[in-house]
Amino acid sequence: MHKMWNAYPELKVDLSMVLNLIESHIRVRDKTVESTIKELIHSGGKLLRPAYSLLCAQIGPTREKEKAIAVAAALESLHMATLVHDDVIDQSDTRHGLKTIQTKHGNNFAIYSGDYLFCVCFTLLSRYATSLAHLEFNSRSMEKILSGELDQLNSRFQTNVSVKNYLSRISGKTARLFAVSCYSGAIESEASHYEAMRAWNMGHYIGMAFQIMDDILDFNSNLKTLGKPIMADIRQGIYTLPLIYCIQENREAFLPLLNKKDQLTDEDMVVIKDLITEYQGIEKAQKLAERYTQKAIEEIKKLPDGAYKETLFELTSNLLQRTA
C-alpha cells in the first residue's frame, strides 16, 4: 500500500480491507486474467477515492463498517476499471511505474479485465448499497465519467481547446468520481441531504484540484516519481491546463509545433516546455488548483464535527504538495 497511509494507521487498515474485498470478488476461469487483475489491485495506487468515501462515512449518525468498506471497494473497482480502459486507449506502457495490462498481455486481456472490474463494482453496490435510487445515482455518474473520457478522446490535437472546455472535461473524467465517493460515504452513514451535498461539493472540488495537479506533474516530474513518460499528454494530443493557458498568451508560438501532432520530436518537446516556462503556464494552473482546494476546505469546515475532519483537512491540503 502507498506509504502515505502510514500516517493514518486506522484508515490504512480499512483500506487494506477494501483491497481484500475487491480481491475476494475476482474469480475468473482464465487464471492469467485473474492474476493480472489481482496484480493491479495491489499495484500501489493511492486509494484516495475509497479513503474519502470511508472518511465521509463518518459524517452521519450511522456507523456500519462492513457497508462502508463495500461501498469504498465498489468505487475503487470502478476507478481501476476506467484506468485499465484508459491505458488501452492511450496505449500507455506503464502505470505506477509498472507495465500496464495491455503491454503485458495485449488489448483483449486488458479490455476484459476492465469490464470485469465494472462488474465487481456493481455486484458490490447491489449487495450493500442502501437503495435502488443510490444504485441509479451511481450508474448515472458512471455515464458522466465515461462521457468525460470520450470528450478527452474527441478533443485530441485540437488547439482551440479553452479553459472552460478543459474544466468541463476533467469535471466528468476525474472530479465526478471523487464527488460520488464522498457522497456515497455520506449517504451510507445516513447523513442528511444537506450534509451529503456538502460532501459531494467537497469531492468535486478535490477532484478538480487533483486532476489539475496531475496535469502539472506531467510537465515537471520525472519517470521515476510519476511512473509514466514525461509530457506524455502532449505527445498523445491531450492539451491540459498549463499548455492551454500558454496557447492563449501566444498562439503563434505554439501552433507550428502542435500542428506536428504525433510527429513531435524530443527537441520540439524541449521548446514547448521552455515556452510553458516563459508564459508561466504551470504557475497559473497551480493557482487554480489552490482555489479549488480552498473551496474544498470551506466545505469541510461546514461538515459535522468529528475526528474525521482533521484527516480530511490534512489529505486535501497535502494533495497540492504531491510530487507523484
Side-chain angles (χ1 to χ4, degrees):
M1 191 175 295
H2 197 282
K3 63 183 180 181
M4 66 183 290
W5 301 118
N6 292 338
Y8 308 99
E10 185 175 345
L11 191 53
K12 183 178 180 179
V13 170
D14 288 348
L15 288 171
S16 294
M17 293 172 68
V18 166
L19 293 180
N20 290 335
L21 181 59
I22 297 172
E23 183 173 358
S24 72
H25 280 73
I26 308 301
R27 294 184 292 272
V28 187
R29 185 175 299 174
D30 188 310
K31 295 308 172 185
T32 300
V33 172
E34 181 173 283
S35 63
T36 296
I37 297 175
K38 289 182 178 180
E39 285 175 15
L40 175 66
I41 293 169
H42 298 287
S43 63
K46 295 182 185 68
L47 303 177
L48 285 168
R49 295 150 192 85
Y52 274 107
S53 181
L54 289 167
L55 289 168
C56 289
Q58 300 176 51
I59 292 174
T62 300
R63 300 284 188 275
E64 292 189 37
K65 176 65 74 71
E66 183 182 15
K67 183 181 288 187
I69 295 293
V71 170
L75 293 162
E76 182 61 14
S77 298
L78 173 57
H79 174 56
M80 287 191 291
T82 62
L83 293 183
V84 173
H85 286 172
D86 277 355
D87 289 339
V88 172
I89 292 169
D90 298 339
Q91 287 299 291
S92 300
D93 294 329
T94 60
R95 182 175 289 279
H96 303 142
L98 303 173
K99 287 184 178 180
T100 53
I101 293 177
Q102 92 275 358
T103 299
K104 292 193 291 186
H105 302 293
N107 287 347
N108 291 343
F109 274 104
I111 291 169
Y112 182 86
S113 298
D115 290 348
Y116 193 90
L117 285 165
F118 278 127
C119 294
V120 171
C121 168
F122 284 102
T123 296
L124 288 166
L125 285 176
S126 67
R127 289 180 183 174
Y128 293 95
T130 297
S131 67
L132 180 61
H134 190 182
L135 281 175
E136 290 174 349
F137 186 89
N138 277 284
S139 64
R140 291 198 306 274
S141 292
M142 192 171 81
E143 288 179 25
K144 293 288 186 182
I145 294 164
L146 297 178
S147 293
E149 297 286 357
L150 189 58
D151 287 344
Q152 177 170 289
L153 186 62
N154 288 332
S155 68
R156 286 189 172 184
F157 299 110
Q158 290 185 10
T159 57
N160 61 346
V161 62
S162 66
V163 172
K164 183 179 180 180
N165 295 147
Y166 167 83
L167 295 178
S168 176
R169 181 208 309 165
I170 70 169
S171 176
K173 175 178 177 284
T174 303
R176 187 81 177 195
L177 188 50
F178 273 95
V180 170
S181 297
C182 295
Y183 178 88
S184 296
I187 285 293
E188 294 303 337
S189 72
E190 297 188 353
S192 69
H193 174 74
Y194 178 80
E195 292 164 346
M197 291 314 299
R198 286 279 183 210
W200 172 278
N201 292 335
M202 176 193 74
H204 171 77
Y205 296 139
I206 289 167
M208 295 296 282
F210 179 87
Q211 186 59 57
I212 292 170
M213 287 303 302
D214 209 51
D215 292 337
I216 290 171
L217 288 172
D218 191 54
F219 290 94
N220 62 7
S221 190
N222 59 64
L223 179 60
K224 184 176 180 180
T225 58
L226 195 58
K228 65 178 182 179
I230 308 310
M231 295 179 70
D233 287 341
I234 291 179
R235 291 183 185 273
Q236 295 167 3
I238 301 169
Y239 301 151
T240 57
L241 193 59
L243 177 61
I244 293 168
Y245 276 136
C246 296
I247 292 173
Q248 291 180 340
E249 288 289 328
N250 189 346
R251 190 172 177 79
E252 290 71 24
F254 286 91
L255 279 186
L257 294 160
L258 298 180
N259 284 339
K260 294 184 178 183
K261 297 186 176 180
D262 58 355
Q263 301 302 309
L264 285 166
T265 65
D266 290 342
E267 291 76 16
D268 293 331
M269 300 302 288
V270 171
V271 174
I272 290 172
K273 188 168 185 179
D274 288 343
L275 285 169
I276 288 170
T277 300
E278 179 181 348
Y279 291 104
Q280 297 184 312
I282 290 172
E283 290 84 353
K284 292 173 183 175
Q286 178 82 34
K287 287 180 181 178
L288 185 55
E290 290 170 1
R291 289 204 293 273
Y292 275 116
T293 300
Q294 189 56 45
K295 285 184 176 184
I297 287 172
E298 291 304 314
E299 294 293 341
I300 294 171
K301 289 178 181 177
K302 297 170 186 175
L303 291 172
D305 289 339
Y308 74 98
K309 284 181 71 171
E310 185 60 36
T311 305
L312 284 176
F313 278 124
E314 286 184 19
L315 279 181
T316 303
S317 299
N318 288 343
L319 289 181
L320 284 174
Q321 313 303 323
R322 67 193 183 97
T323 58

